[in-house]
Amino acid sequence: MALIKDKPPLVLHVVYRFDTGGLENGVVNLINNMPEDVYRHVILALTDVTDFRLRIVRRDVEFLSLNKTPGHALKLYPRLFSIFRRLRPDIVHTRNLAALEVVVPAWLAGIRVRVHGEHGRDVGDLDGSSRKFQWVRRLYSPFVSHYLALSRDLADYLVSKVKVSPSKVTQVYNGVDLIRFSPREVAHFQPLPGCPFAASEFWIAGTVGRMQTVKDQLTLVRAFIRALEIAPALKPRLRLVLVGDGALRAQCQSLLDMAGVADLAWLPGERSDIPDVMRSLNCFVLPSLAEGISNTILEAMASGLPVLATDVGGNADLVVHGITGHIVPAADVEAMAQGLAHLASEPELARRMGLAGRLRVLEKFSLQAMVATYQDLYDRLLSSASGNLQLPPTNR
């Protein structure tokens, strides 16, 4: 739907902090892949914008930082109001609970389309049972024009717990760059710099992500140690790679040291060459306690890897159990160890699962499909705001 203006409509994306993360990666992919003559974009971080902004390849994107201190953003409302009045965005798109309160000054400034996206569970409410967080979302809901939920789980949460009308909720999956993330057989594969394990000699299971409690790499380390106990014949070739940095890194290393298997694992810290990391693995593991729609699962599937993931958030939306990998209960060391031992003991089965995952991503989780859903929703919301029409729900 063409919207006739002197300039393309402006979307102001509001996040708590613009730094490395799945939510922020989704914003990058959306902006980089949406045609420049369709929508313009500004990114506003309530705290700060890091060098992650360099991932945006468009030259016309403005970045704003408010350096917010802990607590409610009420004291920032005058600044936010001024920004909205100066930029006159056609759409304000907030993401996750930490940015939700911005819909109020957007409403006060006369912004007619206020979209809010739910990308994953709150750190203090991994199962969505907090009455406080439900109440806070319900309090702000009159100021939200439409919601985007990145998994069926989050869409159900908005409708059943927050009491948002289903007509105001659209489910949209993240998309993945199928060129950047491709199997080693397709890409010009080179050994991963610094990695002590060669994919030609070992069967390597690994994960990528911030090493913090919600990502639960400790369960993966315990499962790796247990898998070697279950199937000791795997010890000469099963290896573990944990990419990322954070509070759990030292704890993971300590567990490996105490078990006497530190030489079978590699913890390089944070890396920027994630596509190459994926191609160096034989299996991707996501041990998280909570997720929305995991970008790293999609990237692993696009790279042709079988995925072993916990049954949280949208993980089971992505991984077809027994077909593209395995889904196991969260924080269940034994179940994860059994899944890891099974895949490592059946490398041909694991390879076929990886190929099935790549095909699934090609069919359902392309960047083009994601961008088309956002663009269609933005168009319809602007048209509805102009004509005061009721939007039918969209689920993709």
Side-chain angles (χ1 to χ4, degrees):
M1 179 184 302
L3 296 164
I4 302 173
K5 295 187 67 171
D6 293 336
K7 294 181 179 179
L10 175 63
V11 183
L12 193 151
H13 304 270
V14 184
V15 298
Y16 183 74
R17 187 168 191 260
F18 197 65
D19 197 2
T20 303
L23 182 159
E24 296 81 4
N25 191 60
V27 176
V28 168
N29 285 335
L30 177 64
I31 292 175
N32 283 345
N33 289 277
M34 185 172 283
E36 294 188 16
D37 61 348
V38 174
Y39 283 97
R40 295 174 295 134
H41 305 272
V42 171
I43 293 175
L44 185 153
L46 295 181
T47 53
D48 58 310
V49 174
T50 71
D51 286 345
F52 189 72
R53 71 184 188 280
L54 300 176
R55 289 280 312 279
I56 300 284
V57 297
R58 286 180 55 167
R59 302 289 186 181
D60 61 339
V61 177
E62 182 180 354
F63 297 89
L64 303 172
S65 303
L66 298 186
N67 305 118
K68 177 182 178 293
T69 55
H72 197 278
L74 182 62
K75 58 188 176 184
L76 291 177
Y77 276 15
R79 285 182 65 190
L80 286 164
F81 183 86
S82 296
I83 289 170
F84 294 146
R85 297 295 286 181
R86 174 175 67 86
L87 294 177
R88 293 287 183 180
D90 298 272
I91 298 171
V92 168
H93 187 158
T94 57
R95 287 170 167 84
N96 276 358
L97 185 60
L100 176 57
E101 58 195 302
V102 173
V103 297
V104 175
W107 173 76
L108 290 170
I111 310 303
R112 289 185 293 175
V113 178
R114 302 169 301 278
V115 178
H116 180 69
E118 290 287 346
H119 288 245
R121 292 295 189 192
D122 305 297
V123 173
D125 184 29
L126 298 183
D127 62 357
S129 63
S130 169
R131 295 290 184 89
K132 174 186 175 183
F133 288 168
Q134 293 170 20
W135 178 83
V136 170
R137 286 181 168 87
R138 206 170 298 151
L139 179 68
Y140 287 109
S141 63
F143 301 96
V144 178
S145 307
H146 203 80
Y147 290 85
L148 281 169
L150 269 71
S151 69
R152 289 178 294 177
D153 174 62
L154 291 171
D156 291 343
Y157 170 77
L158 287 171
V159 173
S160 63
K161 301 294 186 182
V162 185
K163 306 302 180 184
V164 176
S165 169
S167 66
K168 288 183 64 174
V169 180
T170 294
Q171 188 203 330
V172 55
Y173 289 120
N174 279 339
V176 62
D177 188 332
L178 294 165
I179 297 175
R180 187 164 178 253
F181 291 92
S182 56
R184 70 173 69 130
E185 293 84 1
V186 175
H188 181 59
F189 178 69
Q190 297 288 335
L192 186 66
C195 183
F197 313 128
S200 59
E201 299 176 23
F202 300 100
W203 199 88
I204 306 170
T207 194
V208 175
R210 299 185 304 278
M211 299 192 76
Q212 57 187 31
T213 301
V214 71
K215 298 301 182 181
D216 199 21
Q217 287 93 344
L218 288 171
T219 287
L220 173 53
V221 170
R222 294 186 177 106
F224 174 72
I225 295 168
R226 176 62 180 148
L228 294 174
E229 295 172 351
I230 295 169
L234 292 175
K235 192 168 184 179
R237 64 188 188 86
L238 178 58
R239 298 293 182 266
L240 178 66
V241 169
L242 304 178
V243 173
D245 207 354
L248 293 189
R249 187 179 175 194
Q251 295 180 54
C252 288
Q253 188 66 63
S254 179
L255 279 177
L256 292 162
D257 290 340
M258 287 189 294
V261 295
D263 59 327
L264 308 185
W266 184 49
L267 288 71
E270 188 172 338
R271 293 181 69 106
S272 60
D273 55 346
I274 302 306
D276 292 329
V277 170
M278 291 294 187
R279 282 187 282 271
S280 73
L281 303 177
N282 298 97
C283 172
F284 181 79
V285 187
L286 193 74
S288 300
L289 299 175
E291 286 288 341
I293 284 293
S294 168
N295 283 297
T296 51
I297 283 183
L298 288 172
E299 291 164 0
M301 292 170 66
S303 302
L305 298 179
V307 175
L308 175 61
T310 48
D311 191 9
V312 297
N315 290 355
D317 291 8
L318 307 180
V319 181
V320 182
H321 182 66
I323 304 297
T324 67
H326 292 309
I327 295 290
V328 297
D332 190 329
V333 172
E334 189 65 23
M336 184 165 286
Q338 292 286 350
L340 193 57
H342 176 236
L343 292 171
S345 299
E346 300 284 348
E348 181 55 29
L349 172 64
R351 189 187 70 83
R352 291 198 302 270
M353 285 182 166
L355 292 176
R358 169 76 179 181
L359 289 174
R360 179 166 167 76
V361 167
L362 285 168
E363 293 172 357
K364 194 167 183 179
F365 302 108
S366 69
L367 281 178
Q368 292 74 20
M370 179 195 76
V371 171
T373 300
Y374 276 89
Q375 185 174 324
D376 176 66
L377 180 66
Y378 286 165
D379 286 353
R380 294 188 310 118
L381 287 169
L382 287 177
S383 177
S384 178
S386 299
N388 199 28
L389 302 175
Q390 178 66 35
L391 270 179
T394 298
N395 291 286
R396 299 213 180 178

